[in-house]
């Protein structure tokens, strides 16, 4: 028997209550969703034209399967009696026509069809992955708006509207899925239930809050002659452990699937075990104000850097708290799927603490080109965050290309159409155009008698008129202004359509822009209102209005009635992700076959080949397309519609979910991820540094403290490098060493004046201790007769390779080819290395080392690892003697000796931070990764107490706040 399912309305993760501003934003207008399955932030479906079609055959019959959690009235799995036919004979019984017979028989699964094993038993399909059978989905908010009254059950109200994303979660939690599913999401802005407690404890800064009007809440006794007492200071909403646990139990009980709420709090009262919620909207600020804006090819006006700095710190903390909550739920073998632009840092934060975890990431909004993305101030951190995933999915092929290009141009990682080589591993990049809940949308649109009544009323109201329908969010990227301008040009160019065509435009609020201020919304509203008034004034009459504009939400009955009655669907987005209205329009035109005019900048344009594609900026082209759609012959309309309908039905949200997971598992099985090196966890580093009283630092020079340059003599340290090192070494608890392949003279010239620094030259051949000017030669008894033979060989290759040169040190000899042709220089280096290994290396106790555009020969016992071992041992190994914090950074193959030495030491591994530097995808013995020398200086500055913008998040996690600064 099918279990009962709660029916509630939900929407995309973004909406926030808004009770002020433009009339269209009033709760009385917006309390009903305009579009089931529409996501505020948008979706995309551009695809690689050369990509093979993905399988969309589902391993279940969606009409027969046990329902999953029903979060919305448009859920894929509607509760229904289990009265389906079990055989073709039973299904055919009672059929009154051939069409009905075919329809009934199509519901019976083909017994000869063999499903992919990964669809029904992913653990058996991929035994090498040791899967647990569990999926943890991380999304920004849970599917409910929460109402809170201390000590009482929580009030769970479905979020307005719904999205394909939540339908995907519903499928994963259903009996049709082979997975056990857990959904992790923020509680959203918790709203205190009015009258539940005194006003003094009810104030908080959410935009949806309204002051209590209950007179009984006034101070008692009330003295009419006395001045009223001043209201207490707002202290926020305090939620205790028992109430938090009650919510978790209630979500699981009422929802039917496991939902784990993330508490994003301003303060935590450890003594009373309460979280304090104050400025709840702060957690949206960076994602919606910075990321959403830029990802849609818009930019904000210059503002005070303090606000951006604080917003970034909150964004980092948000992702960190998500990581903490997921780790509480995680078990080995789980797959973690992270969704959308609110959680871009989460994959890396998880990878830092679980190096071998399986992570997939999917972005539901556009990803901009590198020329636009590079305008983002925290561009490196965002890319590094996403690259913590094993696979990154996008709606469109162009978005995936943009992402890979950004990783190469900004981070320096190698990339291709298949993915990005980062941190010693391959991160797959792929395209998965999301679909809608097609079966449920069709049942809803055609199974409600109230919709039939609405259709009848609309047809009577616009009898004899062609109806063009548009539904968009109140956002400049949706192209409503362009649509109205194009419609005006259409009426001007084609006067024969005067009083024969009506445009019904529904414009609903977009809460993503709520942080940008009412002025931005007002500008869009005013422009739209002016255009509507102008068109109706020029082309309307007392009996006819060509544009019917409704700035509000519609009921789902009105919405589906409009889509069904429309003669043309018109979508003119100037930048959009996944536009689900276009997909729902196709489902609703099953009988009418109305043409769809679709912007080429919409995410669905790439997959909806049967639509009329337009450039919304070409107003004349859009006007011509409207006329073309209105006069299109019935046969052509049928042909185009069939293509659209076939795609939407086959590429539904369940097929999208299956394809994403199967591709992720295939990539996990194909690429060895065990060598991946996560980005350095700066918060953990800072915490450990502050706890330690004895600290040891070991830094390489070239490529670590300074960038690699063609002329080694030009690699001089900047003033910032010198000041940063000097500050670090001035702390008496710190022992700071530069361990370089450079000779003594170079290190003396540029670092020697910092007396607190320890210096090691020529890979450990010479040492100069802190506060000493004397160099100790560790190789003075070594036989150096091999140098003449190596020098002759190097000279031969120098003569053959233009731009190469020899560097002669006291102990080692180095052949550089940085100035030579890169390919020819590398070829000559390989030949030279083979020659030396056949000759000199067999006669003497020396080794031939490859570096960055160089080849070096040195005594075998001389390496940086011996110096690292010596420095650690100098502390002693008795109780309390070893260093409590070790930070070792290097970029080259020679630095691996240091990392190896530290791994072999007896030091606790959580006290040792070995960090490789550079964009190379090399496999390393280091435990952490930084991209470039500027990151090294930033990390050292963090330990020195400087909370620059890139370190603001780490400081916020450790201290709970960010110092005031604009940098």
């Amino acid at each position: 028997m099918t279990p009962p399912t709660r029916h509630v309305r939900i929407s995309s993760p973004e909406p926030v209550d808004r009770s002020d501003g433009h009339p269209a934003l009033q709760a009385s207008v917006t309390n009903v969703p305009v579009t089931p399955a529409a996501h505020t932030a948008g979706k995309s479906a551009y695809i690689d034209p050369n990509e093979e079609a993905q399988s969309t055959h589902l391993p279940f019959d969606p009409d027969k399967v046990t329902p999953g959690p029903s979060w919305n009235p448009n859920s894929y799995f509607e509760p229904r009696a289990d009265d389906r036919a079990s055989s073709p004979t039973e299904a055919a019984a009672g059929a009154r026509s051939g069409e009905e017979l075919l329809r009934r028989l199509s519901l019976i699964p083909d017994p000869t069809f063999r499903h992919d094993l990964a669809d029904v038993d992913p653990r058996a399909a991929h035994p090498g992955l040791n899967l647990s059978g569990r999926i943890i989905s991380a999304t920004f908010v849970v599917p409910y708006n929460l109402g809170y009254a201390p000590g009482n059950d929580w009030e769970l109200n479905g979020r307005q509207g719904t999205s394909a994303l939540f339908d995907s979660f519903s499928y994963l939690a259903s009996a049709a899925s082979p997975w056990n599913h857990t959904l992790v999401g923020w509680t959203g802005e918790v709203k205190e239930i009015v009258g539940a407690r005194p006003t003094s404890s009810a104030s908080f800064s959410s935009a949806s809050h309204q002051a209590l009007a209950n007179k009984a809440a006034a101070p008692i006794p009330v003295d009419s002659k006395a001045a009223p007492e001043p209201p207490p200071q707002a202290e926020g909403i305090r939620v205790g452990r028992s109430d938090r646990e009650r919510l978790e139990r209630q979500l699981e009980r009422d929802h039917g699937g496991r939902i784990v709420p993330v508490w994003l709090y301003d303060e935590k009262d450890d003594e009373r075990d309460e979280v304090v919620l104050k400025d709840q909207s702060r957690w949206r600020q960076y994602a919606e104000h910075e990321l959403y804006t830029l990802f849609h090819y818009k930019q904000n006006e210059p503002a005070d850097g303090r606000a951006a700095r604080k917003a970034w710190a909150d964004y980092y903390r948000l992702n960190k708290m998500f990581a903490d909550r997921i780790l509480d739920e995680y078990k080995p073998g789980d797959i973690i799927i992270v969704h959308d632009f609110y959680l871009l840092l989460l994959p890396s934060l998880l990878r830092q603490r679980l190096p071998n975890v399986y992570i997939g990431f999917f972005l539901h909004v556009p990803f901009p080109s590198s020329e636009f993305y590079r305008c983002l101030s925290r561009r490196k951190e965002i890319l590094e965050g996403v690259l913590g995933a094993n696979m990154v999915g996008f709606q469109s092929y162009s978005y995936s290309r943009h992402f890979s290009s950004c990783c190469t141009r900004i981070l320096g990682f190698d990339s291709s159409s298949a993915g990005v080589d980062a941190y010693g591993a391959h991160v797959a990049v792929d395209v998965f155009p999301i679909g809608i809940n097609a079966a449920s949308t069709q049942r809803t649109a055609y199974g409600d008698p109230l919709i039939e009544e609405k259709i009848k009323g609309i047809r009577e109201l616009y009898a004899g008129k062609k109806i063009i329908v548009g539904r968009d969010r109140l956002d400049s990227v949706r192209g409503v202004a362009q649509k109205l301008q194009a419609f005006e040009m259409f009426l001007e160019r084609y006067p024969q359509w005067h009083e024969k065509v009506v445009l019904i435009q529904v414009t609903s609020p977009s809460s993503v822009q709520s942080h940008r201020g009412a002025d931005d919304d007002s500008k869009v509203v005013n422009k739209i209102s002016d255009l509507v008034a102008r068109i109706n004034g020029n082309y309307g009459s007392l009996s006819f209005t060509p544009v019917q504009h409704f700035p509000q939400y519609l009921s789902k009955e009105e919405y589906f009635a409009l889509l069904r009655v429309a003669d043309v669907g018109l979508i003119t987005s100037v930048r959009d992700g996944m536009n689900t209205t276009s997909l729902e329009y196709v489902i609703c035109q099953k009988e009418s076959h109305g043409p769809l005019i679709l912007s080429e900048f919409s995410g669905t344009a790439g997959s909806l080949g049967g639509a009329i594609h337009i450039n919304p900026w070409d107003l004349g082209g859009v006007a011509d397309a409207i006329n073309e759609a209105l006069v299109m012959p019935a046969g052509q309309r049928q042909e185009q519609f069939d293509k659209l309908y076939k795609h939407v039905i086959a590429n539904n949200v369940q097929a999208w979910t299956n394809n994403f997971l199967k591709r992720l598992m295939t990539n996990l099985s194909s690429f060895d991820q065990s060598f991946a090196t996560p980005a350095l966890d700066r918060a953990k580093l800072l915490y450990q540094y502050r706890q330690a009283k004895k600290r040891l630092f070991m830094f390489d020079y070239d490529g670590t403290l300074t960038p690699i340059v063609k002329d080694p003599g030009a690699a001089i340290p900047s003033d910032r490098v010198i000041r940063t090192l000097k500050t670090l070494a001035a702390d008496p608890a710190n022992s700071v060493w530069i361990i370089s392949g450079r000779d003594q003279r170079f290190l003396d010239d540029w670092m020697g004046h910092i007396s607190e620094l320890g210096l090691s030259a020529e890979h450990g051949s010479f040492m100069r201790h802190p506060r000493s000017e004397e160099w100790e030669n560790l190789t003075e008894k070594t036989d150096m007769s091999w140098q003449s033979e190596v020098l002759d060989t190097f000279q031969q290759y120098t003569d053959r390779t233009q731009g190469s040169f020899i560097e002669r040190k006291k102990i080692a000899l180095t052949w550089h080819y940085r100035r030579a042709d890169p390919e020819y220089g590398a070829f000559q280096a390989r030949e030279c290395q083979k020659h030396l290994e056949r000759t000199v290396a067999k006669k003497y106790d020396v080794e031939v080392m490859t570096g960055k555009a160089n080849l070096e020969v040195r005594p075998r016992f001389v390496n940086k690892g011996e110096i690292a071992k010596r420095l650690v041992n100098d502390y002693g190994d008795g109780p309390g003697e070893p260093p409590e914090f070790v930070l070792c950074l290097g970029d080259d193959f020679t630095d691996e000796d240091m990392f190896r030495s530290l791994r072999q030491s007896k030091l606790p591994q959580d006290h040792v931070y070995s960090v490789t530097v550079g964009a190379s995808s090399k496999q390393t013995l280091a435990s952490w990764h930084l991209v470039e020398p500027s990151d090294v200086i930033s990390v050292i500055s963090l330990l020195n107490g400087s909370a620059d913008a890139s370190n603001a998040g780490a400081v916020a996690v450790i201290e709970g706040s960010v110092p005031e600064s604009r940098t």
Side-chain angles (χ1 to χ4, degrees):
M1 179 177 179
T2 301
T5 308
R6 294 184 68 222
H7 284 269
V8 293
R9 291 190 301 269
I10 72 166
S11 72
S12 59
E14 295 78 12
V16 184
D17 292 339
R18 298 180 63 177
S19 56
D20 53 8
H22 193 270
L25 309 181
Q26 295 294 330
S28 60
V29 177
T30 62
N31 61 352
V32 179
V34 63
T35 310
H39 193 287
T40 305
K43 305 279 191 286
S44 167
Y46 286 116
I47 57 174
D48 180 357
N50 299 317
E51 184 179 8
E52 294 182 5
Q54 299 176 354
S55 170
T56 57
H57 201 111
L58 296 174
F60 62 92
D61 179 358
D63 284 319
K64 295 179 65 177
V65 73
T66 301
S70 181
W71 293 326
N72 56 80
N74 197 29
S75 172
Y76 185 85
F77 301 101
E78 279 193 349
R80 58 195 309 121
D82 189 13
D83 57 357
R84 290 295 181 182
S86 58
S87 68
T89 302
E90 185 178 345
R96 298 180 180 179
S97 66
E99 181 180 354
E100 184 180 355
L101 175 63
L102 290 174
R103 181 183 62 79
R104 292 189 178 200
L105 291 176
S106 68
L107 299 178
I108 305 302
D110 180 0
T112 65
F113 180 81
R114 293 197 172 189
H115 296 290
D116 189 335
L117 182 59
D119 284 329
V120 293
D121 192 350
R123 285 180 286 185
H126 299 276
L129 297 180
N130 295 317
L131 297 172
S132 66
R134 291 175 11 121
I135 287 180
I136 299 175
S137 295
T139 189
F140 182 51
V141 290
V142 298
Y144 299 103
N145 288 311
L146 304 180
Y148 173 60
N152 298 319
D153 275 356
W154 289 76
E155 184 179 279
L156 306 182
N157 295 311
R159 293 185 178 272
Q160 289 179 336
T162 167
S163 73
L165 178 60
F166 286 126
D167 283 329
S168 171
F169 298 153
S170 180
Y171 160 61
L172 286 172
S174 74
S177 167
W179 302 96
N180 291 319
H181 183 247
T182 298
L183 178 61
V184 177
W186 177 40
T187 59
E189 288 86 348
V190 174
K191 184 175 182 180
E192 192 165 37
I193 299 175
V194 175
R197 63 177 181 171
T199 310
S200 61
S201 60
S203 299
F204 64 106
S205 58
S206 171
S208 63
H209 172 67
Q210 295 179 356
L212 292 177
N214 184 2
K215 295 181 179 180
I220 298 175
V222 177
D223 185 349
S224 60
K225 299 181 180 179
E229 295 182 16
Q233 293 296 317
E235 61 180 49
I237 295 180
R238 305 180 71 91
V239 185
R241 172 177 288 275
S242 61
D243 286 322
R244 300 198 301 271
E245 292 176 346
R246 181 182 296 108
L247 174 61
E248 292 192 32
R249 292 194 301 269
Q250 197 173 335
L251 284 172
E252 189 162 356
R253 180 192 71 206
D254 293 358
H255 159 68
R258 180 156 170 72
I259 296 181
V260 177
V262 178
W263 295 93
L264 303 180
Y265 51 82
D266 297 81
E267 300 170 9
K268 188 169 185 179
D269 187 336
D270 291 324
E271 184 177 339
R272 301 170 64 180
D273 199 4
E274 293 178 336
V275 295
V276 184
L277 313 178
K278 293 182 178 178
D279 184 5
Q280 299 188 74
S281 63
R282 64 188 288 188
W283 307 111
R284 298 177 179 269
Q285 179 71 21
Y286 188 82
E288 296 182 358
H289 183 69
E290 301 291 340
L291 297 177
Y292 178 86
T293 302
L294 186 131
F295 282 16
H296 286 80
Y297 289 81
K298 298 192 294 181
Q299 287 183 294
N300 296 310
E301 293 293 327
D304 190 338
R306 295 185 183 90
R309 175 190 175 90
K310 183 178 181 300
W312 168 252
D314 287 339
Y315 186 75
Y316 186 97
R317 287 184 63 199
L318 179 157
N319 281 262
K320 183 68 165 55
M321 286 192 270
F322 261 82
D324 293 340
R325 195 68 181 93
I326 289 172
L327 288 174
D328 290 340
E329 299 294 322
Y330 176 80
K331 296 179 181 177
D334 288 358
I335 292 178
I336 300 174
I337 308 297
V338 181
H339 291 274
D340 226 1
F341 61 99
Y342 294 94
L343 302 174
L344 292 171
L345 302 181
L346 184 54
S348 180
L349 293 173
L350 291 169
R351 180 76 56 198
Q352 287 168 354
R353 297 162 72 177
L354 297 169
N356 297 317
V357 66
Y358 303 144
I359 304 175
F361 177 84
F362 190 82
L363 185 68
H364 294 262
V365 297
F367 194 91
S369 68
S370 60
E371 289 303 310
F372 213 89
Y373 177 82
R374 66 196 304 179
C375 298
L376 188 65
S377 59
R378 304 268 62 84
R379 58 193 185 184
K380 283 171 52 180
E381 291 86 343
I382 293 296
L383 292 177
E384 289 171 347
V386 176
L387 288 173
N390 299 102
M391 185 180 78
V392 183
F394 295 91
Q395 296 280 10
S396 117
Y397 176 65
S398 61
Y399 301 160
S400 70
R401 245 183 336 106
H402 292 163
F403 176 78
S404 297
S405 174
C406 285
C407 291
T408 298
R409 296 190 179 193
I410 294 172
L411 298 181
F413 290 148
D414 293 334
S415 66
S416 66
S417 59
V420 180
D421 293 328
Y423 306 131
H426 177 78
V427 179
V429 176
D430 220 325
V431 180
F432 304 91
I434 199 171
I436 62 169
N437 200 325
S440 176
T441 300
Q442 187 159 301
R443 284 197 298 265
T444 303
Y446 286 91
D448 189 342
L450 186 56
I451 293 178
E452 302 297 334
E453 294 180 15
K454 297 287 184 182
I455 291 174
K456 182 180 178 182
I458 294 172
R459 283 178 174 158
E460 290 177 354
L461 186 61
Y462 302 107
K465 308 286 192 304
K466 294 286 187 179
I467 299 175
I468 302 173
V469 170
R471 201 287 310 182
D472 303 276
R473 295 285 182 176
L474 182 62
D475 189 337
S476 59
V477 301
R478 307 302 175 186
V480 178
Q482 286 82 353
K483 180 186 302 185
L484 293 170
Q485 290 170 324
F487 185 68
E488 182 179 31
M489 185 171 290
F490 160 76
L491 294 175
E492 179 183 341
R493 286 189 176 184
Y494 300 96
Q496 67 269 28
W497 287 108
H498 288 187
E499 299 196 5
K500 296 180 181 178
V501 175
V502 60
L503 170 62
I504 301 177
Q505 174 62 42
V506 180
T507 309
S508 53
S510 176
S511 59
V512 166
Q513 297 221 342
S514 61
H515 297 283
R516 299 176 62 192
D519 290 342
D520 295 300
D521 283 343
S522 296
K523 289 178 183 178
V524 177
V525 169
N526 292 338
K527 186 171 184 178
I528 292 173
S529 298
D530 290 345
L531 284 169
V532 170
R534 188 173 76 197
I535 296 171
N536 289 337
N538 292 336
Y539 298 98
S541 63
L542 290 175
S543 59
F544 177 70
T545 305
V547 178
Q548 297 287 339
H549 181 224
F550 301 96
Q552 63 186 59
Y553 284 116
L554 298 179
S555 68
K556 70 184 178 83
E557 293 81 12
E558 290 175 319
Y559 172 70
F560 282 122
L562 271 180
L563 292 189
R564 285 184 57 186
V565 81
D567 295 289
V568 176
L570 181 57
I571 297 172
T572 56
S573 310
V574 297
R575 187 68 58 182
D576 200 359
M578 183 64 179
N579 190 301
T580 55
T581 300
S582 60
L583 305 179
E584 291 161 345
Y585 174 80
V586 171
I587 294 295
C588 292
Q589 287 292 313
K590 186 178 67 171
E591 297 174 349
S592 305
H593 309 150
L596 172 64
I597 301 175
L598 184 61
S599 167
E600 65 187 54
F601 299 111
S602 169
T604 48
S607 53
L608 296 183
I612 302 174
H613 292 178
I614 50 93
N615 176 359
W617 300 102
D618 178 10
L619 304 182
V622 179
D624 293 340
I626 293 173
N627 182 67
E628 176 189 348
L630 291 172
V631 300
M632 184 179 292
Q636 185 179 352
R637 284 167 44 194
Q638 175 76 56
E639 181 182 354
Q640 291 190 358
F641 174 79
D642 288 344
K643 291 172 60 179
L644 294 171
Y645 187 76
K646 180 179 179 181
H647 172 84
V648 175
I649 290 294
N651 294 275
N652 56 41
V653 72
Q654 291 76 22
W656 171 80
T657 305
N658 284 343
N659 286 330
F660 184 88
L661 289 170
K662 286 194 291 184
R663 193 75 62 88
L664 173 60
M665 290 185 289
T666 299
N667 280 306
L668 289 171
S669 299
S670 302
F671 299 100
D672 186 356
Q673 305 289 334
S674 61
F675 294 102
T677 310
L680 179 62
D681 186 342
R682 299 191 185 196
K684 182 179 179 181
L685 180 81
L686 179 61
Y687 176 80
Q688 191 64 42
Y689 175 83
R690 292 182 176 180
Q691 297 299 309
K693 293 184 172 55
K694 288 190 288 185
R695 315 180 188 109
L696 173 61
F697 295 84
M698 293 175 281
F699 302 134
D700 176 39
Y701 182 76
D702 291 284
T704 301
L705 294 175
T706 61
I708 295 290
V709 294
K710 288 194 172 183
D711 181 2
I716 60 176
S718 66
D719 179 62
R720 187 187 180 200
V721 171
I722 296 295
R723 286 187 287 106
T724 303
L725 289 174
K726 192 169 184 178
T727 302
L728 184 70
D731 189 329
N734 296 342
S735 177
V736 184
W737 283 80
I738 308 297
I739 303 177
S740 173
R742 294 282 187 162
D743 59 22
Q744 299 159 265
R745 181 177 178 180
F746 182 91
L747 294 180
D748 263 335
D749 288 346
W750 295 107
M751 298 288 183
H753 63 285
I754 307 177
S755 61
E756 298 89 352
L757 273 182
L759 303 176
S760 174
E762 298 194 33
H763 303 289
S765 300
F766 301 91
M767 293 181 69
R768 197 198 82 170
H769 290 270
R771 298 176 180 83
S772 171
E773 296 184 358
E774 299 299 322
W775 284 89
E776 178 184 356
N777 186 351
L778 304 180
T779 62
E780 56 186 350
K781 296 181 180 180
T782 305
D783 177 14
M784 306 299 291
S785 59
W786 55 269
Q787 286 192 337
S788 59
E789 189 172 341
V790 172
L791 194 61
D792 290 341
T793 302
F794 277 171
Q795 189 59 53
Q796 293 175 22
Y797 280 88
T798 301
D799 295 339
R800 300 177 192 172
T801 311
Q802 184 178 2
S804 64
F805 62 93
I806 302 170
E807 180 184 6
R808 186 166 186 172
K809 305 172 184 177
K810 289 185 178 181
I811 299 299
L813 290 174
T814 307
W815 182 66
H816 294 275
Y817 56 93
R818 294 180 190 176
R819 302 174 186 172
D821 177 82
E823 293 184 5
Y824 186 66
F827 168 76
Q828 289 290 74
R830 289 192 297 270
E831 295 299 309
C832 183
Q833 182 182 3
K834 292 177 185 177
H835 177 78
L836 290 171
E837 288 174 344
R838 288 196 306 264
T839 57
V840 179
K842 291 186 176 181
K843 294 164 58 178
Y844 302 95
D845 190 22
V846 297
E847 60 182 342
V848 184
M849 304 292 296
T850 57
K852 288 191 174 177
N854 68 63
L855 201 63
E856 182 168 286
V857 182
R858 67 189 185 196
R860 191 174 297 277
F861 72 89
V862 174
N863 64 68
K864 295 181 178 182
E866 290 298 319
I867 295 298
K869 181 179 179 180
R870 177 171 178 167
L871 293 176
V872 171
N873 290 340
D874 282 347
Y875 280 86
D877 57 4
E881 291 181 344
E884 300 168 349
F885 175 91
V886 178
L887 177 60
C888 178
L889 296 105
D891 73 307
D892 210 341
F893 182 77
T894 60
D895 299 309
E896 295 295 316
D897 292 327
M898 290 195 292
F899 305 149
R900 183 182 295 107
S901 177
L902 291 172
R903 277 182 177 267
Q904 294 171 351
S905 72
K906 297 179 181 179
L907 297 173
Q909 287 305 301
D910 60 340
H911 291 181
V912 177
Y913 292 82
S914 54
V915 185
T916 188
V917 181
S920 171
S921 59
K922 64 187 177 186
Q923 295 176 353
T924 176
L925 293 172
S927 301
W928 306 95
H929 199 124
L930 288 173
V931 172
E932 58 186 359
S934 63
D935 295 329
V936 174
I937 304 306
S938 175
V939 166
I940 300 173
S941 299
L942 170 65
L943 303 182
N944 286 338
S946 171
D948 60 23
S950 59
N951 292 321
V955 173
V957 168
I958 300 301
E959 298 181 357
S961 62
V962 183
E964 285 293 326
S965 174
R966 296 183 63 181
T967 58

